[in-house]
Coordinates of all heavy atoms in Angstrom, one line a residue:
M1 N 4.7 -28.3 5.2 CA 3.5 -27.6 5.0 C 3.1 -27.6 3.5 O 3.9 -27.6 2.6 CB 3.7 -26.1 5.4 CG 2.4 -25.3 5.2 SD 2.7 -23.6 5.8 CE 1.0 -23.1 5.9
S2 N 1.8 -27.7 3.3 CA 1.3 -27.8 1.9 C 0.1 -26.9 1.8 O -0.7 -26.8 2.7 CB 0.9 -29.3 1.7 OG 0.4 -29.4 0.3
I3 N 0.1 -26.2 0.7 CA -1.1 -25.4 0.4 C -2.0 -26.1 -0.5 O -1.6 -26.7 -1.5 CB -0.6 -24.1 -0.4 CG1 0.5 -23.4 0.4 CG2 -1.8 -23.2 -0.7 CD1 0.1 -22.7 1.6
G4 N -3.3 -26.1 -0.1 CA -4.3 -26.9 -0.9 C -5.3 -25.9 -1.6 O -5.2 -24.7 -1.4
R5 N -6.1 -26.5 -2.4 CA -7.2 -25.7 -3.1 C -8.0 -24.9 -2.2 O -8.3 -23.7 -2.4 CB -8.0 -26.7 -3.9 CG -9.1 -26.1 -4.7 CD -9.9 -27.2 -5.4 NE -10.8 -26.7 -6.4 CZ -11.9 -26.0 -6.2 NH1 -12.2 -25.7 -4.9 NH2 -12.6 -25.5 -7.2
D6 N -8.4 -25.5 -1.0 CA -9.3 -24.8 -0.1 C -8.5 -23.6 0.5 O -9.1 -22.6 0.8 CB -9.7 -25.7 1.0 CG -10.7 -26.8 0.5 OD1 -11.4 -26.5 -0.5 OD2 -10.9 -27.8 1.2
D7 N -7.2 -23.8 0.8 CA -6.4 -22.6 1.3 C -6.4 -21.5 0.4 O -6.6 -20.3 0.8 CB -5.0 -23.1 1.6 CG -4.9 -24.2 2.6 OD1 -5.7 -24.1 3.6 OD2 -4.1 -25.1 2.4
V8 N -6.2 -21.7 -0.9 CA -6.2 -20.7 -1.9 C -7.5 -20.0 -2.0 O -7.6 -18.7 -2.0 CB -5.8 -21.2 -3.3 CG1 -6.0 -20.2 -4.4 CG2 -4.3 -21.7 -3.3
L9 N -8.6 -20.7 -2.0 CA -9.9 -20.1 -2.1 C -10.2 -19.3 -0.8 O -10.9 -18.3 -0.9 CB -11.0 -21.2 -2.3 CG -10.9 -21.9 -3.7 CD1 -11.9 -23.0 -3.8 CD2 -11.1 -20.9 -4.8
H10 N -9.8 -19.8 0.3 CA -10.0 -19.1 1.6 C -9.3 -17.8 1.6 O -9.9 -16.8 2.0 CB -9.6 -20.0 2.8 CG -9.7 -19.4 4.1 ND1 -11.0 -19.1 4.7 CD2 -8.8 -18.9 5.0 CE1 -10.8 -18.6 5.8 NE2 -9.5 -18.4 6.0
V11 N -8.1 -17.8 1.2 CA -7.3 -16.5 1.2 C -7.9 -15.6 0.2 O -8.0 -14.4 0.4 CB -5.8 -16.8 0.9 CG1 -5.0 -15.5 0.7 CG2 -5.2 -17.6 2.1
A12 N -8.3 -16.1 -1.0 CA -8.9 -15.2 -2.0 C -10.2 -14.6 -1.4 O -10.4 -13.4 -1.7 CB -9.2 -16.0 -3.2
R13 N -10.9 -15.4 -0.7 CA -12.2 -14.9 -0.1 C -11.9 -13.8 0.9 O -12.5 -12.7 0.9 CB -13.0 -16.0 0.5 CG -14.4 -15.7 0.8 CD -15.2 -16.9 1.2 NE -14.6 -18.0 1.9 CZ -14.2 -19.1 1.3 NH1 -14.4 -19.3 0.0 NH2 -13.6 -20.1 2.0
L14 N -10.8 -14.0 1.7 CA -10.5 -13.0 2.8 C -10.0 -11.7 2.1 O -10.2 -10.6 2.6 CB -9.4 -13.6 3.7 CG -9.8 -14.7 4.6 CD1 -8.6 -15.2 5.3 CD2 -10.8 -14.2 5.6
A15 N -9.2 -11.9 1.0 CA -8.7 -10.7 0.3 C -9.7 -10.1 -0.7 O -9.3 -9.1 -1.3 CB -7.4 -11.1 -0.4
E16 N -10.9 -10.7 -0.7 CA -11.9 -10.2 -1.6 C -11.4 -10.2 -3.1 O -11.6 -9.2 -3.8 CB -12.4 -8.8 -1.2 CG -13.1 -8.9 0.2 CD -13.6 -7.5 0.6 OE1 -13.5 -6.5 -0.1 OE2 -14.2 -7.5 1.7
L17 N -10.7 -11.3 -3.4 CA -10.3 -11.5 -4.8 C -11.1 -12.5 -5.5 O -11.4 -13.5 -4.9 CB -8.8 -11.9 -4.8 CG -7.8 -10.9 -4.2 CD1 -6.4 -11.6 -4.1 CD2 -7.7 -9.7 -5.0
K18 N -11.4 -12.2 -6.7 CA -12.1 -13.2 -7.5 C -11.1 -14.1 -8.3 O -10.3 -13.6 -9.0 CB -13.0 -12.5 -8.6 CG -13.8 -13.5 -9.4 CD -14.7 -12.7 -10.4 CE -15.5 -13.7 -11.2 NZ -16.4 -12.9 -12.2
V19 N -11.1 -15.4 -8.0 CA -10.2 -16.3 -8.7 C -11.0 -17.2 -9.5 O -11.9 -18.0 -9.0 CB -9.4 -17.1 -7.6 CG1 -8.5 -18.1 -8.3 CG2 -8.6 -16.2 -6.7
A20 N -10.7 -17.2 -10.8 CA -11.4 -18.1 -11.7 C -11.0 -19.6 -11.5 O -9.9 -19.8 -11.0 CB -11.1 -17.7 -13.2
E21 N -11.9 -20.5 -11.7 CA -11.7 -21.9 -11.5 C -10.4 -22.4 -12.1 O -9.7 -23.2 -11.6 CB -12.9 -22.7 -11.9 CG -12.8 -24.2 -11.5 CD -12.8 -24.3 -10.0 OE1 -13.4 -23.6 -9.3 OE2 -12.0 -25.2 -9.5
H22 N -10.1 -21.9 -13.4 CA -9.0 -22.4 -14.1 C -7.6 -21.8 -13.5 O -6.6 -22.3 -13.9 CB -9.1 -22.1 -15.6 CG -9.0 -20.7 -15.9 ND1 -10.0 -19.8 -15.8 CD2 -7.9 -19.9 -16.3 CE1 -9.6 -18.6 -16.2 NE2 -8.4 -18.6 -16.5
E23 N -7.7 -20.9 -12.6 CA -6.5 -20.3 -12.0 C -6.2 -20.9 -10.7 O -5.1 -20.7 -10.2 CB -6.8 -18.8 -11.8 CG -6.9 -18.0 -13.1 CD -7.3 -16.5 -12.8 OE1 -8.1 -16.3 -11.8 OE2 -6.8 -15.6 -13.5
V24 N -7.1 -21.7 -10.1 CA -6.8 -22.2 -8.8 C -5.7 -23.2 -8.8 O -4.7 -23.1 -8.0 CB -8.1 -22.9 -8.2 CG1 -7.8 -23.6 -6.9 CG2 -9.2 -21.9 -8.1
A25 N -5.7 -24.2 -9.7 CA -4.6 -25.2 -9.7 C -3.2 -24.6 -9.9 O -2.3 -24.9 -9.2 CB -4.9 -26.2 -10.8
P26 N -3.0 -23.7 -10.9 CA -1.7 -23.0 -11.0 C -1.3 -22.2 -9.7 O -0.1 -22.3 -9.4 CB -1.8 -22.1 -12.2 CG -3.0 -22.6 -13.0 CD -3.9 -23.2 -12.0
L27 N -2.2 -21.6 -9.1 CA -1.9 -20.9 -7.9 C -1.5 -21.8 -6.8 O -0.5 -21.6 -6.0 CB -3.1 -20.1 -7.4 CG -3.4 -18.7 -8.1 CD1 -4.7 -18.1 -7.7 CD2 -2.3 -17.8 -7.9
V28 N -2.1 -23.0 -6.6 CA -1.8 -24.0 -5.7 C -0.3 -24.4 -5.9 O 0.5 -24.5 -5.0 CB -2.7 -25.2 -5.7 CG1 -2.2 -26.3 -4.9 CG2 -4.1 -24.7 -5.2
K29 N 0.0 -24.7 -7.2 CA 1.3 -25.2 -7.5 C 2.4 -24.1 -7.2 O 3.4 -24.4 -6.7 CB 1.4 -25.5 -9.0 CG 2.7 -26.1 -9.5 CD 2.6 -26.5 -10.9 CE 4.0 -27.0 -11.4 NZ 4.1 -27.3 -12.8
Q30 N 2.1 -22.8 -7.6 CA 3.0 -21.7 -7.4 C 3.3 -21.5 -5.9 O 4.4 -21.4 -5.4 CB 2.6 -20.5 -8.0 CG 2.6 -20.5 -9.5 CD 1.8 -19.3 -10.2 OE1 1.3 -18.4 -9.5 NE2 1.8 -19.3 -11.5
L31 N 2.2 -21.5 -5.1 CA 2.3 -21.2 -3.7 C 3.1 -22.4 -3.0 O 3.9 -22.2 -2.1 CB 1.0 -21.0 -3.0 CG 0.3 -19.7 -3.4 CD1 -1.1 -19.6 -2.9 CD2 1.1 -18.5 -2.9
N32 N 2.8 -23.6 -3.4 CA 3.6 -24.7 -2.8 C 5.1 -24.6 -3.2 O 5.9 -25.0 -2.4 CB 3.0 -26.1 -3.3 CG 1.8 -26.5 -2.4 OD1 1.9 -26.5 -1.2 ND2 0.7 -26.8 -3.1
G33 N 5.4 -24.2 -4.4 CA 6.8 -23.9 -4.8 C 7.4 -22.9 -3.9 O 8.6 -23.1 -3.5
I34 N 6.7 -21.9 -3.5 CA 7.3 -20.8 -2.6 C 7.5 -21.4 -1.2 O 8.5 -21.2 -0.6 CB 6.3 -19.6 -2.6 CG1 6.3 -18.9 -3.9 CG2 6.7 -18.6 -1.5 CD1 5.2 -17.9 -4.1
V35 N 6.5 -22.2 -0.7 CA 6.6 -22.8 0.6 C 7.8 -23.7 0.6 O 8.6 -23.8 1.6 CB 5.3 -23.4 1.0 CG1 5.5 -24.3 2.2 CG2 4.2 -22.4 1.2
D36 N 7.9 -24.5 -0.4 CA 9.1 -25.5 -0.5 C 10.4 -24.8 -0.5 O 11.4 -25.2 0.2 CB 8.9 -26.4 -1.7 CG 7.8 -27.4 -1.6 OD1 7.2 -27.5 -0.5 OD2 7.4 -27.9 -2.7
F37 N 10.5 -23.7 -1.2 CA 11.7 -22.9 -1.3 C 12.1 -22.3 0.1 O 13.2 -22.4 0.5 CB 11.7 -21.8 -2.3 CG 12.9 -21.0 -2.5 CD1 14.0 -21.6 -3.1 CD2 13.0 -19.7 -2.0 CE1 15.2 -20.9 -3.2 CE2 14.2 -19.0 -2.1 CZ 15.3 -19.6 -2.7
V38 N 11.1 -21.8 0.8 CA 11.3 -21.2 2.1 C 11.8 -22.3 3.1 O 12.7 -22.1 3.9 CB 10.1 -20.5 2.6 CG1 10.2 -20.1 4.1 CG2 9.8 -19.3 1.8
A39 N 11.2 -23.5 2.9 CA 11.6 -24.6 3.8 C 13.1 -25.0 3.5 O 13.8 -25.4 4.5 CB 10.7 -25.8 3.5
Q40 N 13.5 -24.9 2.3 CA 14.9 -25.2 1.9 C 15.8 -24.2 2.6 O 16.9 -24.5 3.1 CB 15.1 -25.2 0.4 CG 14.5 -26.3 -0.3 CD 14.7 -26.2 -1.9 OE1 15.5 -25.3 -2.3 NE2 14.1 -27.0 -2.6
L41 N 15.4 -22.9 2.6 CA 16.2 -21.9 3.2 C 16.3 -22.1 4.7 O 17.4 -21.9 5.3 CB 15.6 -20.5 2.9 CG 15.6 -20.0 1.5 CD1 14.9 -18.7 1.4 CD2 17.1 -19.8 1.0
A42 N 15.2 -22.5 5.3 CA 15.3 -22.8 6.8 C 16.2 -23.9 7.1 O 16.7 -24.0 8.2 CB 13.8 -23.0 7.3
A43 N 16.3 -24.9 6.2 CA 17.1 -26.1 6.5 C 18.6 -25.9 6.1 O 19.4 -26.8 6.3 CB 16.5 -27.3 5.7
A44 N 18.9 -24.7 5.5 CA 20.3 -24.5 5.1 C 21.2 -24.5 6.4 O 20.9 -23.9 7.4 CB 20.4 -23.1 4.4
D45 N 22.4 -25.1 6.2 CA 23.4 -25.1 7.3 C 24.2 -23.8 7.2 O 25.1 -23.7 6.4 CB 24.3 -26.4 7.1 CG 25.2 -26.5 8.3 OD1 24.9 -26.0 9.3 OD2 26.3 -27.1 8.0
V46 N 23.9 -22.9 8.1 CA 24.7 -21.6 8.1 C 25.4 -21.5 9.4 O 24.8 -21.7 10.5 CB 23.6 -20.4 8.0 CG1 24.4 -19.1 8.0 CG2 22.8 -20.6 6.8
P47 N 26.7 -21.3 9.3 CA 27.5 -21.1 10.6 C 27.0 -20.0 11.4 O 26.5 -19.0 10.9 CB 28.9 -20.8 10.1 CG 29.0 -21.3 8.6 CD 27.6 -21.1 8.1
V48 N 27.1 -20.2 12.7 CA 26.5 -19.3 13.7 C 27.1 -17.9 13.6 O 26.5 -16.9 13.8 CB 26.7 -19.8 15.1 CG1 25.8 -19.0 16.1 CG2 26.4 -21.3 15.2
D49 N 28.4 -17.8 13.2 CA 29.1 -16.5 13.2 C 29.0 -15.8 11.8 O 29.7 -14.8 11.6 CB 30.6 -16.7 13.6 CG 31.3 -17.7 12.6 OD1 30.6 -18.4 11.9 OD2 32.6 -17.7 12.6
T50 N 28.1 -16.3 11.0 CA 27.9 -15.6 9.7 C 27.2 -14.3 9.9 O 26.1 -14.3 10.5 CB 27.1 -16.5 8.7 OG1 27.8 -17.8 8.6 CG2 26.9 -15.9 7.4
P51 N 27.8 -13.2 9.4 CA 27.1 -11.9 9.5 C 25.9 -11.8 8.7 O 25.8 -12.5 7.6 CB 28.2 -10.9 9.1 CG 29.1 -11.7 8.2 CD 29.1 -13.1 8.6
E52 N 24.9 -11.1 9.1 CA 23.7 -10.9 8.3 C 24.0 -10.1 7.1 O 24.9 -9.2 7.1 CB 22.7 -10.1 9.2 CG 22.0 -10.9 10.2 CD 20.9 -10.1 10.9 OE1 20.3 -9.2 10.2 OE2 20.6 -10.4 12.0
F53 N 23.3 -10.4 6.0 CA 23.5 -9.6 4.8 C 22.4 -8.6 4.7 O 21.2 -8.9 4.8 CB 23.4 -10.6 3.6 CG 23.5 -9.8 2.3 CD1 24.7 -9.3 1.8 CD2 22.3 -9.6 1.5 CE1 24.7 -8.6 0.6 CE2 22.3 -8.9 0.4 CZ 23.6 -8.4 -0.1
T54 N 22.8 -7.3 4.5 CA 21.8 -6.3 4.3 C 22.1 -5.6 3.0 O 23.2 -5.3 2.7 CB 21.8 -5.3 5.5 OG1 23.1 -4.8 5.6 CG2 21.4 -5.9 6.8
V55 N 21.0 -5.2 2.3 CA 21.2 -4.4 1.1 C 21.2 -2.9 1.6 O 20.3 -2.5 2.2 CB 20.0 -4.7 0.2 CG1 20.2 -3.8 -1.1 CG2 20.0 -6.1 -0.2
G56 N 22.2 -2.2 1.1 CA 22.3 -0.8 1.5 C 23.1 -0.6 2.8 O 23.7 -1.6 3.3
P57 N 23.0 0.6 3.3 CA 23.8 0.8 4.6 C 23.2 0.0 5.7 O 22.0 -0.3 5.8 CB 23.6 2.3 4.8 CG 22.3 2.7 4.1 CD 22.2 1.7 2.9
V58 N 24.1 -0.3 6.7 CA 23.7 -1.1 7.8 C 22.8 -0.3 8.7 O 21.8 -0.8 9.3 CB 24.9 -1.5 8.7 CG1 24.5 -2.2 9.9 CG2 25.8 -2.4 7.8
R59 N 23.0 1.0 8.7 CA 22.2 1.9 9.5 C 21.8 3.1 8.6 O 22.6 3.7 8.1 CB 22.9 2.4 10.8 CG 22.0 3.3 11.6 CD 22.6 3.6 12.9 NE 21.6 4.5 13.5 CZ 21.8 5.0 14.7 NH1 22.8 4.7 15.4 NH2 20.9 5.8 15.2
A60 N 20.5 3.4 8.6 CA 20.0 4.5 7.8 C 20.1 5.8 8.6 O 19.7 5.8 9.8 CB 18.6 4.3 7.3
S61 N 20.5 6.9 8.0 CA 20.5 8.1 8.8 C 19.1 8.7 8.8 O 18.4 8.6 7.8 CB 21.5 9.1 8.1 OG 21.1 9.3 6.8
L62 N 18.7 9.2 9.9 CA 17.4 9.7 10.0 C 17.4 11.2 9.9 O 18.3 11.9 10.4 CB 16.8 9.3 11.4 CG 16.8 7.8 11.7 CD1 16.3 7.5 13.1 CD2 15.9 7.1 10.7
R63 N 16.3 11.8 9.4 CA 16.2 13.2 9.3 C 15.7 13.7 10.7 O 15.2 13.0 11.5 CB 15.2 13.6 8.2 CG 13.8 13.1 8.4 CD 12.9 13.6 7.4 NE 11.6 13.0 7.5 CZ 10.6 13.3 8.4 NH1 10.9 14.2 9.3 NH2 9.5 12.7 8.4
A64 N 15.9 15.0 10.9 CA 15.4 15.6 12.1 C 13.9 15.5 12.1 O 13.2 15.7 11.1 CB 15.8 17.0 12.2
D65 N 13.3 15.2 13.3 CA 11.9 15.1 13.4 C 11.3 16.4 13.7 O 11.0 16.8 14.9 CB 11.6 14.1 14.6 CG 10.1 13.7 14.6 OD1 9.4 14.0 13.6 OD2 9.7 13.1 15.6
V66 N 11.1 17.2 12.7 CA 10.7 18.6 12.8 C 9.4 18.8 11.9 O 9.4 18.4 10.7 CB 11.8 19.6 12.4 CG1 11.3 21.0 12.4 CG2 13.0 19.4 13.2
V67 N 8.4 19.3 12.5 CA 7.2 19.6 11.7 C 7.4 21.0 11.1 O 7.6 22.0 11.7 CB 5.9 19.6 12.6 CG1 4.7 20.0 11.8 CG2 5.8 18.3 13.3
A68 N 7.3 21.0 9.8 CA 7.5 22.2 9.0 C 6.6 22.2 7.8 O 6.3 21.1 7.2 CB 8.9 22.4 8.6
P69 N 6.1 23.3 7.4 CA 5.2 23.3 6.2 C 6.0 22.9 4.9 O 7.2 23.2 4.8 CB 4.7 24.8 6.1 CG 5.7 25.6 6.9 CD 6.3 24.7 7.9
E70 N 5.3 22.2 4.1 CA 6.0 21.8 2.8 C 5.7 22.9 1.8 O 4.6 23.3 1.5 CB 5.3 20.4 2.3 CG 6.0 19.8 1.2 CD 7.4 19.4 1.4 OE1 7.7 19.0 2.6 OE2 8.2 19.4 0.5
P71 N 6.8 23.4 1.2 CA 6.6 24.5 0.2 C 5.9 23.9 -1.0 O 6.2 22.9 -1.5 CB 8.0 24.9 -0.1 CG 8.9 23.8 0.3 CD 8.2 23.0 1.4
L72 N 5.0 24.7 -1.5 CA 4.2 24.4 -2.7 C 5.0 24.9 -3.9 O 5.7 25.9 -3.9 CB 2.8 25.0 -2.7 CG 1.9 24.5 -1.5 CD1 0.6 25.3 -1.5 CD2 1.7 23.0 -1.6
A73 N 4.8 24.3 -5.1 CA 5.4 24.8 -6.3 C 4.8 26.1 -6.7 O 5.5 27.0 -7.2 CB 5.1 23.8 -7.4
R74 N 3.5 26.3 -6.4 CA 2.8 27.6 -6.7 C 2.0 27.9 -5.4 O 1.6 27.1 -4.7 CB 1.9 27.5 -7.9 CG 2.5 27.2 -9.2 CD 1.6 27.2 -10.3 NE 0.5 26.2 -10.0 CZ -0.5 25.9 -10.8 NH1 -0.5 26.4 -12.0 NH2 -1.4 25.0 -10.5
S75 N 1.8 29.2 -5.2 CA 1.0 29.6 -4.0 C -0.4 29.2 -4.2 O -0.9 29.0 -5.3 CB 1.1 31.1 -3.8 OG 0.4 31.8 -4.9
A76 N -1.1 29.0 -3.1 CA -2.5 28.6 -3.1 C -3.4 29.6 -3.9 O -4.3 29.2 -4.6 CB -3.1 28.5 -1.7
E77 N -3.1 30.9 -3.8 CA -3.8 31.9 -4.5 C -3.7 31.7 -6.0 O -4.7 31.9 -6.8 CB -3.4 33.3 -4.2 CG -3.5 33.7 -2.7 CD -2.2 33.4 -1.9 OE1 -1.2 33.1 -2.5 OE2 -2.3 33.3 -0.7
R78 N -2.6 31.3 -6.5 CA -2.4 31.1 -7.9 C -3.0 29.8 -8.4 O -3.4 29.7 -9.6 CB -0.9 31.0 -8.2 CG -0.2 32.4 -8.1 CD 1.2 32.4 -8.5 NE 1.4 31.9 -9.9 CZ 2.5 31.2 -10.2 NH1 3.5 31.0 -9.4 NH2 2.6 30.7 -11.4
M79 N -3.2 28.8 -7.5 CA -3.9 27.6 -7.9 C -5.4 27.6 -7.9 O -6.1 26.9 -8.5 CB -3.4 26.4 -7.1 CG -1.9 26.0 -7.3 SD -1.4 24.5 -6.4 CE -1.3 25.1 -4.8
A80 N -5.9 28.6 -7.1 CA -7.4 28.6 -6.8 C -8.1 29.3 -8.0 O -7.6 30.3 -8.5 CB -7.6 29.4 -5.5
P81 N -9.2 28.8 -8.4 CA -10.0 29.4 -9.4 C -10.5 30.8 -8.9 O -10.6 31.8 -9.6 CB -11.2 28.5 -9.6 CG -11.2 27.5 -8.6 CD -9.8 27.5 -7.9
D82 N -10.8 30.9 -7.6 CA -11.2 32.1 -7.0 C -10.7 32.1 -5.5 O -10.8 31.1 -4.8 CB -12.7 32.3 -7.0 CG -13.2 33.7 -6.7 OD1 -12.3 34.6 -6.6 OD2 -14.4 33.9 -6.7
W83 N -10.2 33.3 -5.0 CA -9.6 33.4 -3.7 C -10.0 34.6 -3.1 O -10.1 35.7 -3.7 CB -8.1 33.4 -4.0 CG -7.2 33.4 -2.7 CD1 -6.7 34.5 -2.1 CD2 -6.8 32.3 -1.9 NE1 -6.0 34.1 -1.0 CE2 -6.0 32.8 -0.9 CE3 -7.1 30.9 -2.0 CZ2 -5.5 31.9 0.1 CZ3 -6.5 30.1 -1.1 CH2 -5.7 30.6 0.0
Q84 N -10.4 34.5 -1.8 CA -10.9 35.7 -1.1 C -10.6 35.6 0.4 O -10.9 34.6 1.0 CB -12.4 35.9 -1.3 CG -13.0 37.1 -0.7 CD -14.5 37.2 -0.9 OE1 -15.0 36.4 -1.7 NE2 -15.1 38.1 -0.3
D85 N -9.9 36.6 0.9 CA -9.5 36.7 2.3 C -8.8 35.4 2.8 O -9.1 34.9 3.9 CB -10.8 36.9 3.2 CG -11.5 38.3 2.8 OD1 -10.7 39.2 2.5 OD2 -12.7 38.3 2.9
G86 N -8.0 34.8 2.0 CA -7.2 33.7 2.4 C -7.9 32.3 2.3 O -7.5 31.3 2.9
F87 N -9.1 32.3 1.6 CA -9.9 31.1 1.5 C -10.2 30.9 0.0 O -10.3 31.8 -0.8 CB -11.2 31.2 2.2 CG -11.0 31.3 3.7 CD1 -11.1 32.5 4.4 CD2 -10.9 30.1 4.5 CE1 -10.9 32.6 5.7 CE2 -10.7 30.2 5.8 CZ -10.7 31.5 6.5
Y88 N -10.3 29.6 -0.4 CA -10.8 29.2 -1.7 C -12.3 29.6 -1.7 O -13.0 29.4 -0.8 CB -10.7 27.7 -1.9 CG -9.3 27.2 -2.1 CD1 -8.7 26.5 -1.1 CD2 -8.6 27.4 -3.3 CE1 -7.4 26.1 -1.2 CE2 -7.3 26.9 -3.4 CZ -6.7 26.3 -2.4 OH -5.5 25.8 -2.5
V89 N -12.7 30.1 -2.8 CA -14.1 30.4 -3.0 C -14.7 29.4 -4.0 O -14.1 29.3 -5.1 CB -14.3 31.9 -3.6 CG1 -15.8 32.2 -3.8 CG2 -13.7 32.9 -2.6
V90 N -15.7 28.7 -3.6 CA -16.3 27.7 -4.5 C -17.8 28.0 -4.7 O -18.4 28.7 -3.9 CB -16.1 26.3 -3.9 CG1 -14.7 25.9 -3.8 CG2 -16.8 26.2 -2.6
P91 N -18.3 27.6 -5.8 CA -19.7 27.9 -6.0 C -20.6 27.1 -5.1 O -20.3 26.0 -4.6 CB -20.0 27.5 -7.5 CG -18.9 26.5 -7.8 CD -17.7 26.9 -6.9
R92 N -21.7 27.7 -4.7 CA -22.7 27.1 -3.9 C -23.4 26.0 -4.7 O -23.6 26.1 -5.9 CB -23.8 28.0 -3.4 CG -23.2 29.0 -2.4 CD -24.4 29.9 -1.9 NE -23.9 30.9 -1.0 CZ -24.0 30.8 0.3 NH1 -24.5 29.7 0.9 NH2 -23.5 31.7 1.1
L93 N -23.7 24.9 -4.0 CA -24.5 23.8 -4.6 C -25.9 24.0 -4.2 O -26.3 24.0 -3.0 CB -24.0 22.5 -4.2 CG -22.5 22.2 -4.5 CD1 -22.1 20.9 -4.0 CD2 -22.3 22.2 -6.0
G94 N -26.8 24.2 -5.2 CA -28.2 24.5 -5.0 C -28.9 23.5 -4.2 O -29.8 23.8 -3.4
H95 N -28.6 22.2 -4.4 CA -29.3 21.1 -3.7 C -28.9 21.0 -2.2 O -29.5 20.3 -1.5 CB -29.1 19.8 -4.4 CG -27.7 19.3 -4.4 ND1 -26.7 19.7 -5.2 CD2 -27.2 18.4 -3.5 CE1 -25.6 19.1 -4.9 NE2 -25.9 18.3 -3.9
Q96 N -27.9 21.8 -1.8 CA -27.5 21.7 -0.5 C -28.0 23.0 0.3 O -27.7 23.1 1.5 CB -26.0 21.6 -0.3 CG -25.4 20.3 -0.8 CD -23.9 20.2 -0.6 OE1 -23.2 21.2 -0.4 NE2 -23.4 19.0 -0.7
E97 N -28.6 23.9 -0.4 CA -29.2 25.1 0.3 C -30.3 24.7 1.2 O -31.2 23.8 0.8 CB -29.7 26.1 -0.8 CG -28.6 26.6 -1.6 CD -27.7 27.6 -0.9 OE1 -28.2 28.3 0.0 OE2 -26.5 27.6 -1.1
I98 N -30.5 25.3 2.3 CA -31.6 25.1 3.2 C -32.6 26.1 3.0 O -32.3 27.3 3.0 CB -31.1 25.1 4.7 CG1 -30.0 24.0 4.9 CG2 -32.3 25.0 5.6 CD1 -29.4 24.1 6.3
E99 N -33.8 25.7 2.6 CA -34.9 26.6 2.4 C -35.5 27.0 3.7 O -35.8 26.2 4.5 CB -35.9 26.0 1.4 CG -35.3 25.8 0.0 CD -36.3 25.3 -0.9 OE1 -37.5 25.6 -0.7 OE2 -35.9 24.6 -1.9
S100 N -35.9 28.3 3.8 CA -36.5 28.7 5.1 C -38.0 29.1 4.8 O -38.4 29.2 3.8 CB -35.8 29.9 5.7 OG -35.5 30.9 4.7

């Protein structure tokens, strides 16, 4: 497999990335290097009974799936500029007022 100039520009367009003209050739070279390396890995002669290598524990311990409130460092009342009857009080925005 080979990555070409059109492939790089197509992926950049899909990712909505702006790629300068002088950056296209180096990107093509780098991506082809990655593809070639992966092809080398796929062609490696690995015995069938070779165990998989994993970083960290083979199995991660899972926490209990319990929904619980997350404690805040400070209470909501202490963080609010103004608090009334369990609600934040914010100033009214004049342009959102409905005139009758």
Side-chain angles (χ1 to χ4, degrees):
M1 178 180 197
S2 178
I3 306 290
R5 180 181 192 288
D6 291 338
D7 298 318
V8 170
L9 294 175
H10 178 70
V11 171
R13 192 170 33 259
L14 290 174
E16 297 182 358
L17 297 173
K18 181 179 180 181
V19 178
E21 188 60 39
H22 69 277
E23 295 174 321
V24 175
L27 282 172
V28 169
K29 183 178 178 183
Q30 291 169 2
L31 289 172
N32 276 310
I34 293 169
V35 169
D36 291 344
F37 182 72
V38 171
Q40 288 177 12
L41 291 176
D45 184 26
V46 180
V48 193
D49 59 344
T50 303
E52 286 187 24
F53 175 77
T54 57
V55 178
V58 176
R59 181 173 178 179
S61 59
L62 302 175
R63 63 173 172 78
D65 192 13
V66 177
V67 176
E70 187 65 33
L72 300 173
R74 296 183 305 185
S75 67
E77 299 92 16
R78 288 186 51 213
M79 291 188 286
D82 195 5
W83 183 264
Q84 184 179 352
D85 298 325
F87 294 97
Y88 291 102
V89 178
V90 296
R92 290 182 182 262
L93 299 176
H95 68 279
Q96 291 183 343
E97 294 291 324
I98 298 174
E99 294 184 26
S100 45

